[in-house]
Amino acid sequence: METRLPQQDSDKQTTDFITHPLIKPDAIEQRLYQLNLAAAALKQSTLVVLPTGLGKTIVALFVIANRLHRMSGKVIILSPTKPLVEQHASFLKKFMTLPPDEIVVFTGSIPPAKRIALWKDARVVVSTPQVIENDLLSHRIDLSDVIHITFDEAHRSVGNYAYVYIAEKYQSQAKDPLILGITASPGASSEKIEEVCRNLSTSNVQVRTDDDPDVKPYVHYRDLEWRHITVPVEIKGLKDSMQRVLDNRVEQLAKLDFIDPNRKYLNKRELLDLQSRLQSGLRSGPDQRVFNAISLVAEILKVSHAIEITETQGPEALAKYFERLEHEAGSKSGSKASRRLVEDVHMRQAMYALKEMDVTHPKLEIVKDIVSGQLRNNPDSRVIIFTNYRDMSELVTQNLEGVDNVRPVRFVGQASKYKDTGLTQKQQVEILDKFRSGEYNALVATSVAEEGLDIPATDLVLFYEPVPSEIRSIQRKGRTGRSHAGKVVVLVAKGTKDEAYYWSSRRKEKTMNSKMRQLGDTRNAQPLGETPSIPSTGMQGTLQQLGTLQQSGLPEQSGIPGQSGTPEKQGMTGIPGTSEQPVENARQKQLLDYSGEKLQIYVDRREIRSGVARALESAGTDVILATLEVGDYIVSDRVAIERKTDMDFLDSIIDKDRNIFGQLSDLARTYDRPVLIIEGDNLYTARQIHPNAIRGVLASIATGFGIPIISTRDAGDTAAMIQVIAKREQVDEKRTPSLHGRKTAMTLSEQQEYIVSSISNIGPVAARKLLQHFGSVESVMRAGLDELMEVESIGPKTAQRIREVVSSEYKR
């Protein structure tokens, strides 16, 4: 059992409050560690690592208030999701003395024109990063008068995430940039922490742990219980049938000489590595052995997943997985692996046994007992149940409905999947508000609720299963023990993947805590990284003291008299071996540097997430975002470029709805010099499509449409190629970008075929036969089962599906 130290008895000491012109009086308790962190963050751009529930947002508030009080301009606080944005905005309006209309929220639901107007007069902008990124690329805003940005959940500042682009633009545009990154879980590796700091241009790292003397008085007791559960023998029997399938596929893989014959088991990482090697082997040409091996690996992954669901989630979740597997196998775009599995005799045995089974996983009943007991003993408390899978979140919610004192609600992400509609951000915010108010008291959530949600009444967090990620585990646990003692219960099914994840999570958390302590021990190693310490005696409890500290010899941030040094030239404290020089963006090295007029390129709005638009804009190109009817990039009046990743291109070959030839036909009809760029190195390996079939499509595009095809490695390479084409057109040929042309509208007959073929199991050929037989869409829809079966190629299953779609009551 892991515990935290109990909070000191507040009745035995006088509570001092922060006083500051921009913070409401008697509102924020004075805590030494928060003031110290704020003082360090005001001195130079800083990454603050602080355990959950200890007031990272309050540290940000101190920095925001100080900057706004001392300087003219606006500040931004960024958070990954709309619920967190709403939470931060509510917090700032509650505790700051600014007029409420000067604290504005930016989300995608607010029209761009309104955001421009709000931006003009705002002092504080609270936003999701994607909206700020979009507005920067669209030139609706710039960051020249932004005096501070807080990046919440700063561990996300890696790869292609919007935080990275915004931080880069902020450093280049702002007159006096100051960045604060806040996180409870930066990751277990020094490399990850270094990447975050490099991407945010933070030259200082400040760490506090539960064991630090100035933090201990404010840490609440958190009881952690690992509850180990025995899997029923009936469920183990269900696994046995699938295990025979798994053993058979591994044996076949060994016979093909792709793995050691003595190997009986491959973990997921080994399977994915093997899959990657096999796909790479196809680059030199088709090989039936390799194709067979790739299909076997796909089957092994699917069966392994089914076994894991069986043991850790239960028969109900497995039934939902089998339903999706059968749907995939029956669809025209379904994989060979899915079809082979649903036809396997042992898999069919497992499916039949599942239908006859009258046993549930004991986890469901244990969840019911724990949650009902908690809410019976403390009716005003809140409970969060985390599940890894959406199916399980639905099943757990259903299982808790009707239980006395329990008012459950499901909380999932926005994406909609097969028979599973996601929640909009507006719905997510409404659910959280009702959870806070007590209309719901049990939140059954997937990973979408892991980060940052502050619901003080949450006394219990329950993991339906362990998670192997130390970041996710820490974030989940941090939903309780925030304002008072709390409890965490983690359910572990014995002898299953749960146990592997249990040990993995504990090891990674231990490693991360060790890294954090090392950072804490070394944060004072360099003079510029020393943490200003506010004396505990005689402290008046005002943020003005931060200014006093700066005037007494500490290096100050630019914009405050007495500054020495600029943040971007300072070393990164607490991360040994980190270069003091800014790391140049490797993508920009590929882009042209020439003197002359600025290039202009129209970019389709849907391309924003690709990274190409960012790279072009960072290289000085004037990126004009627009909703393009034809093409993705327009570089002149005669050249339009369609960009496809290798996966996009292959999917558009398989999926009739994506119609690559229709897109390219419009491109060739509208522009004199159309270009197709295919991005990525896995065109012949990403899908199990015969290379000659891919070559046939490429040949048809090049010869049939007269469209040149250019291959690029990645988004940076694509941006460099587009810039070269734009330079030739605009600088050498003196041409200007021009938007013209629209997608070819479908004819009446094509629209009729489209409506009928949209029904599952009906392709364009069958749709045409139905329409030729019945004469109209209306007659097809009115036809009975026997009438439909009179049409060539329409069998009982297809006819039944048509009647089901047409006559079933609509339900959401």
Side-chain angles (χ1 to χ4, degrees), residues 550-567:
Q550 291 170 327
Q551 291 167 8
S552 63
L554 289 170
E556 294 182 275
Q557 178 63 30
S558 173
I560 301 173
Q563 178 199 8
S564 60
T566 55

Side-chain angles (χ1 to χ4, degrees), residues 410-430:
R410 185 171 180 249
F411 189 75
V412 297
Q414 298 180 66
S416 293
K417 302 178 181 179
Y418 175 67
K419 289 192 174 182
D420 185 1
T421 304
L423 297 174
T424 65
Q425 289 191 332
K426 182 179 179 181
Q427 290 172 322
Q428 291 174 348
V429 171
E430 290 173 352

Side-chain angles (χ1 to χ4, degrees), residues 305-316:
H305 183 61
I307 290 173
E308 180 180 343
I309 288 175
T310 304
E311 295 181 318
T312 66
Q313 311 295 305
E316 298 87 348

Side-chain angles (χ1 to χ4, degrees), residues 223-225 227 229 363-374 382-388 396 400 442-446 458-467 476-477 479-480 487-492:
D223 183 17
L224 176 60
E225 176 187 353
R227 188 171 296 193
I229 298 163
K363 281 186 180 182
L364 279 172
E365 198 61 32
I366 290 171
V367 168
K368 187 187 292 184
D369 290 343
I370 293 173
V371 173
S372 62
Q374 172 70 28
R382 307 285 185 274
V383 177
I384 300 179
I385 304 103
F386 281 108
T387 69
N388 279 346
V396 170
L400 291 173
L443 191 76
V444 186
T446 54
T458 303
D459 301 306
L460 172 66
V461 169
L462 197 156
F463 290 31
Y464 194 82
E465 66 282 286
V467 285
R476 285 185 175 190
K477 292 172 186 174
R479 298 315 104 212
T480 190
K487 184 174 183 178
V488 177
V489 179
V490 185
L491 305 184
V492 183

Side-chain angles (χ1 to χ4, degrees), residues 338-363:
S338 299
R339 289 192 286 271
R340 281 167 51 105
L341 282 179
V342 299
E343 293 169 358
D344 186 280
V345 62
H346 294 300
M347 287 296 285
R348 300 304 305 177
Q349 286 177 354
M351 291 176 180
Y352 179 77
L354 180 63
K355 292 177 181 177
E356 299 297 314
M357 184 172 290
D358 190 26
V359 174
T360 61
H361 202 289
K363 281 186 180 182

Side-chain angles (χ1 to χ4, degrees), residues 80 101 117 226-227 311 336 382 461 487 537 600 689 701:
D101 59 357
W226 297 87
R227 188 171 296 193
E311 295 181 318
K336 185 186 294 184
R382 307 285 185 274
V461 169
K487 184 174 183 178
T537 58
Q600 278 192 342
I689 302 175
I701 292 169

Side-chain angles (χ1 to χ4, degrees), residues 313-593:
Q313 311 295 305
E316 298 87 348
L318 181 64
K320 287 180 174 290
Y321 178 68
F322 278 163
E323 182 183 358
R324 284 196 299 275
L325 190 66
E326 288 187 300
H327 177 265
E328 180 186 339
S331 68
K332 293 185 182 298
S333 59
S335 67
K336 185 186 294 184
S338 299
R339 289 192 286 271
R340 281 167 51 105
L341 282 179
V342 299
E343 293 169 358
D344 186 280
V345 62
H346 294 300
M347 287 296 285
R348 300 304 305 177
Q349 286 177 354
M351 291 176 180
Y352 179 77
L354 180 63
K355 292 177 181 177
E356 299 297 314
M357 184 172 290
D358 190 26
V359 174
T360 61
H361 202 289
K363 281 186 180 182
L364 279 172
E365 198 61 32
I366 290 171
V367 168
K368 187 187 292 184
D369 290 343
I370 293 173
V371 173
S372 62
Q374 172 70 28
L375 295 173
R376 183 174 57 252
N377 296 331
N378 189 355
D380 294 329
S381 72
R382 307 285 185 274
V383 177
I384 300 179
I385 304 103
F386 281 108
T387 69
N388 279 346
Y389 301 103
R390 277 192 174 194
D391 288 344
M392 211 60 236
S393 69
E394 181 181 352
L395 292 167
V396 170
T397 304
Q398 292 172 353
N399 193 52
L400 291 173
E401 289 173 349
V403 178
D404 289 344
N405 303 315
V406 181
R407 299 181 296 279
V409 63
R410 185 171 180 249
F411 189 75
V412 297
Q414 298 180 66
S416 293
K417 302 178 181 179
Y418 175 67
K419 289 192 174 182
D420 185 1
T421 304
L423 297 174
T424 65
Q425 289 191 332
K426 182 179 179 181
Q427 290 172 322
Q428 291 174 348
V429 171
E430 290 173 352
I431 288 173
L432 290 176
D433 287 343
K434 291 178 180 179
F435 184 57
R436 288 188 180 94
S437 69
E439 185 173 337
Y440 300 120
N441 58 9
L443 191 76
V444 186
T446 54
S447 59
V448 70
E450 289 173 353
E451 286 184 329
L453 294 181
D454 184 14
I455 302 167
T458 303
D459 301 306
L460 172 66
V461 169
L462 197 156
F463 290 31
Y464 194 82
E465 66 282 286
V467 285
S469 163
E470 76 283 2
I471 291 177
R472 293 181 61 197
S473 180
I474 288 169
Q475 293 283 1
R476 285 185 175 190
K477 292 172 186 174
R479 298 315 104 212
T480 190
R482 300 176 73 85
S483 60
H484 54 268
K487 184 174 183 178
V488 177
V489 179
V490 185
L491 305 184
V492 183
K494 293 180 181 178
T496 72
K497 283 282 183 67
D498 277 0
E499 289 194 330
Y501 293 158
Y502 162 76
W503 290 111
S504 175
S505 176
R506 297 195 69 170
R507 175 180 56 79
K508 289 179 179 178
E509 281 192 53
K510 185 177 180 180
T511 301
M512 192 178 85
N513 289 333
S514 174
K515 292 285 184 186
M516 287 170 62
R517 281 192 292 271
Q518 290 175 21
L519 285 174
D521 291 341
T522 59
R523 66 176 179 257
N524 294 320
Q526 300 178 41
L528 286 174
E530 290 179 357
T531 304
S533 178
I534 299 176
S536 59
T537 58
M539 183 166 62
Q540 300 302 311
T542 72
L543 279 178
Q544 304 293 349
Q545 289 180 288
L546 298 178
T548 303
L549 283 170
Q550 291 170 327
Q551 291 167 8
S552 63
L554 289 170
E556 294 182 275
Q557 178 63 30
S558 173
I560 301 173
Q563 178 199 8
S564 60
T566 55
E568 59 267 26
K569 293 183 180 178
Q570 295 167 347
M572 191 180 296
T573 304
I575 305 183
T578 303
S579 170
E580 294 184 7
Q581 299 300 320
V583 178
E584 184 179 359
N585 189 324
R587 222 171 21 222
Q588 292 186 26
K589 291 180 180 179
Q590 305 177 60
L591 298 175
L592 294 174
D593 181 15

